[in-house]
Amino acid sequence: MENTTSTAYQVSSAIGTRLWREDVLWPLPLHQALDMVSGPAQRVDEAVMPFVDLLLAGGTVRYHTVDPAIQRWLRTGLAAAVPVRRRTADVLVRLDRAARADMLHRSFAGERPGVRYRMPGDPQWHALAGHLPALPPLATPPYRGRFVALHAALLVPAPGHALLVCGNQKAGKTTAAVWARDAGLASIATDEVVLLDSLTGVVFGVPLPVAVRSGEQRTSVPLPQEAGTYLGASLPAAVVILLPKQEPSCPGAIETAGDEEEARSWLVEHLRDGGASPADLHRSSRELASRVPVHRLRVSSWPGLVADLESHLSALLKTLER
């Protein structure tokens, strides 16, 4: 191959692979990229690492890591988010061996160990704070300042329309999500983390593995890369908050918030920091409470929970299919 500077190159398979894999080369003219890959080897700290691309909240995040366990967790645990075809990355995240895969979607105080990010075209890696999740990396420019997070499952009975199912730990969110999918009533976008875009009002699910119940045991099962999993944006059509029954023998019933203030007071405890400003968080939660009906459903503990879901959520999900 001869480039525009009349320098001849013999492009071996190794050079071709580097041109394909190293995203920093993509914006460059071909002759500059060829000069770079044909030149001296990079320093070890700049060496190309294996990566996994994930489609998260409307963007493509490229996770670089040399740790086989982290690679496997990203590629299999989040199989639903792995694109079928290669895409241009919106942001790159580097996961060193100190990074904890099980904490990437969680927030904590201080700097996040072993996790750095950079933008395409920027050779400099930057530290990523721990107060926002790294999956997706909500503190990076493509996501920064936009999202309100909710501790909720997100069910999609029809493309573009979603039901948020909120609840505290062990309230029944995962059971509701898996039941709705298995009954053919909805696809699952997530059973744990919902991101509300404060700019557009749409919601995305973070497709983490779900803890499927078998008797008294729970097994972590990745969401499949198929029609049963939904990755796109949806408009919230309703919110259901699961609460434990005060008396096990009492029949379950759906209660609907009477006005916006009551609806917002029900939602507040399920909101999480997603990077949006306090003003945007307040505005987004008010808009959600005013735009869609917010319900509370008191449910039994397992296994009576499933009967309560069948009695009360089936009709609601079917109305959202229309």
Side-chain angles (χ1 to χ4, degrees), residues 300-320:
S300 307
S301 57
W302 177 266
L305 169 61
V306 175
D308 290 334
L309 296 173
E310 290 174 344
S311 297
H312 299 286
L313 282 194
S314 293
L316 181 57
L317 284 166
K318 287 175 182 176
T319 62
L320 299 182

Side-chain angles (χ1 to χ4, degrees), residues 27-46:
L28 300 178
L30 180 59
H31 68 279
Q32 291 184 23
L34 286 167
D35 287 340
M36 288 183 67
V37 297
S38 303
Q42 293 178 308
R43 301 194 309 271
V44 171
D45 62 340
E46 294 176 342

